[in-house]
Amino acid sequence: MEPGVTALVVDLRGKVFPAVGAAPARQALGSVRFSVRTGERVAIVGPSGCGKTTLLNIVAGLDDDFEGRIRRPDPPIGYVFQEPRLLPWRTVADNLRFVLGPVPDAEARIARALAEVELPDAAPVYASRLSLGMARRVALARAIVVRPSLVLLDEPFVSLDQPTSERLRLLVLDLLERHGITTLLVTHDLREATMLAERILVLSAAPGRLLGEIAVALGSPARRDAATVEAEHARLRAAARALAAEAAELST
Ligand SMILES: Nc1ncnc2c1ncn2[C@@H]1O[C@H](COP(=O)(O)OP(=O)(O)OP(=O)(O)O)[C@@H](O)[C@H]1O
Ligand SMILES: [Mg+2]
């Protein structure tokens, strides 16, 4: 993978969930067009229900019922779902083995991936026995163990207590930076996006369409400094509000 080369092109014109029984058809997304370069970390922010998970499913290739076109990097793509979705009655190691398939160095790669998410002793533990924070880390290990060309992260820090989510954010930042992993992160939390991403795409309320994008002006060390992140967050919040206000004006 060559850094700086376009890795992903999303040219989505719209997504409608068809009517099922008494439930009417639902427009889930409008126009969303952007690209991501190899090694870049991009966040998508937008309010609950605006179509963020739907968009990631389309990017991942799990949903091909949409208007538009997606150009993906070569597989594999790692996907950390909004819910960890581990196989509960399998061990942690089995959950990773399952996505890795029969590669000769599987055991070493599994051990390395678990060490990277700071769970070096979790291999024999049944997935049903993990706390949510641990399950999230295993889901992350499962996404990186395949050496993905692109990682998709869907709200990976929600429903965790404050210290746990903060620690996990730092862990994810370290991991993504260390390996230069091309990343598309979805979150409703602009502060989180500020800390982790180099560029932020702002979606409208449902049906989500791209309002615009904002560059994050933080170097790598600054991302670990809470006060600096907070100051940049405040600046970006104003920029995101301006985008939303501008869009509201255009539509009236
Ligand atoms: N399979 C489906 N069939 C019909 N409607 C769906 C389906 N999946 C999602 N939707 C609807 O599409 C819209 C977007 O849902 P989606 O889960 O993508 O939002 P989201 O931005 O990820 O929300 P959240 O922030 O709460 O995770 C919602 O109105 C949702 O009810
Ligand atoms: Mg979602």
Side-chain angles (χ1 to χ4, degrees), residues 1-2 19 39 44 47 52 66 68 88 110 116 147 171 177 219 249:
M1 281 193 304
E2 213 180 315
I44 296 176
K52 300 182 298 297
F66 62 90
I110 289 167
E116 294 225 63
R147 295 182 186 148
L171 188 152
E177 277 192 345
E249 234 157 71

Side-chain angles (χ1 to χ4, degrees), residues 15-20 23-29 46-57 63 82 154-155 158 186-188 203-204 206-208:
K15 159 75 190 174
V16 175
F17 286 108
V20 180
R26 185 176 188 104
Q27 173 101 32
L29 287 164
S48 184
C50 78
K52 300 182 298 297
T53 297
T54 304
L55 179 60
L56 275 197
N57 286 340
D63 178 353
Q82 194 160 356
D154 192 354
E155 301 275 9
V158 288
V186 150
T187 175
H188 65 278
L203 292 189
S204 71

